[in-house]
Amino acid sequence: MPWLPQLVLVVLLIYVHKQAEISSLTHVIERNRILNWLDRLGRHKVRSYLRRGALNLGAT
């Protein structure tokens, strides 16, 4: 990967890290329509998978 995209990615990650120290990322994700959509992409599948009993965490 060329150095300029790497630099942009590092700066972006540093920014996100600093923002996480200042405020809750959960609130940022919930307020942003695109981030909220991305966050919820696989949740329906996980819930239905758990509902079917495929992953029984309470079993011994």
Side-chain angles (χ1 to χ4, degrees), residues 12-55:
L12 178 67
L13 289 174
I14 290 171
Y15 174 76
V16 169
H17 179 75
K18 288 298 181 184
Q19 284 301 112
E21 290 180 356
I22 296 170
S23 65
S24 169
L25 283 181
T26 301
H27 294 298
V28 173
I29 291 171
E30 287 174 350
R31 287 188 309 235
N32 185 303
R33 181 183 296 168
I34 296 170
L35 294 177
N36 194 15
W37 178 77
L38 287 171
D39 186 43
R40 296 182 183 273
L41 269 179
R43 293 189 182 218
H44 177 70
K45 292 177 185 176
V46 171
R47 277 193 218 117
S48 64
Y49 183 74
L50 291 174
R51 212 176 301 125
R52 285 191 317 232
L55 182 61

